[in-house]
Amino acid sequence: MKLLNRSVLRTLSPTLALFMFAMILANIASRMESPMLSLYLRNLGASVEQVGLFFTIGMFAPLLLQVFGGWISDSLGYLRTIAIGSLIGLIGSLWLPFVPSWEWALVAIIAAAISGALISPTFRAFIAEHTSENNRGKVYGLFDSVFGIVNILGPFLGGFLADRLGFRGMLLVAAGFYVVATIIRMSMSRRARAAAQEASGRLNFGQLKANLVQMISLATAGTLMTWILVFDGLQDFSFRLSDQFYPIYLKDLYGYTTTRVGSLYTIMGIAAAVFNTAGGWISDRYGERWGLVGGLGIFAVATVLFLGGPAFPLQALVWGMFGLGQALYAPAFNALISKVAPRHLRGLAFGLLSTTLGLFSLPAPYLGGLMWENWSPYWPFLINAVMLVITLPIIWITVRPQYIQQEQSRAAALLKEHA
């Protein structure tokens, strides 16, 4: 596996390596904040139901922009779009430590969501642009392994600093990381335009309309792209029912400190870092459906085990399984989309998927909070596990090599028309 890492590393250009470094800094900041955000909101006086409402409201802003984010990256260039997204994210990162109440924190979460809507589809399309199809799963896995540093350092550092400096002090440190990342991204974008490495494109709304018609026709044709929307929508809804409540459950029901909560997220990060490249290799060698089914199946089992009690060895096992599930699922999913989406629509494809899933999952955090308050804290997690299990046969039946080849043929035909 080390030899595999070295061989893939040699394919990375200096631009891609510097891009990776900036992404690491920005995501360390994000991972310091995100596991602690629910606890920060509770510290600002929010109830569990209000925490769910907060994340539901925070999902509204980026929904349409996620489609536009992919289109903007296809039109303006990847590095330029990422620089714009970084500036918007910087506003939220600098605002969050100073909010007087949980309601004001919505400004920060909306800015972060808009930033993610621009950067996330662009980042994945940027990698696809700089890799060959045969190695794409491995390169996605390598990037996820390197970002394992983020998931190892970020949550532990966030919990550790929150215990010692308070939530606001921790958020200020995170903002410092994001400032440095933004400076690097802005510099890369300027250099790329000066060297004509990226075209200085313009936003053409006529082209957006044509590209959306092409993408929607693929997504609604009853083919593999349609089924991707179905199974990824189910898993996204299920995760959002419970994702924001893990820290609260650990703190309120199991009595964990913020440092210990952060350490569990770090364990998940370590497991993901160890297995991400293997996940990409499995995707390339045996097909994407093995990674998708294996990853979600492990998540479902781990979610049930999470409810088994506060013993730290059990929780360490659970969060290690979360990391393994992520390592199997993410490279396979990214590789699958990059294969079936036409090259000129990759950014739009990632953005359209995110928007469709966001619309479908919009009420999930609030519903999870209502289940917690009115039924039992167990319910968001149990329903999450059940919905994940439902997705498994859908994936196994629909994500077959022959269906991927059929979708690639349609994508090639669209690319020929576009040319």
Side-chain angles (χ1 to χ4, degrees), residues 157-167 170 251 257-260:
L157 187 59
F160 179 82
L161 292 176
D163 268 340
R164 284 152 183 81
L165 303 179
F167 287 110
M170 178 272 291
K251 189 174 178 65
T257 64
T258 53
T259 299
R260 182 162 275 199

Side-chain angles (χ1 to χ4, degrees), residues 18-40:
L18 183 59
F19 177 76
M20 181 190 295
F21 177 68
M23 290 294 290
I24 288 172
L25 289 178
N27 282 278
I28 284 177
S30 175
R31 292 301 290 162
M32 286 175 65
E33 295 174 0
S34 56
M36 301 296 131
L37 187 53
S38 298
L39 300 178
Y40 181 48

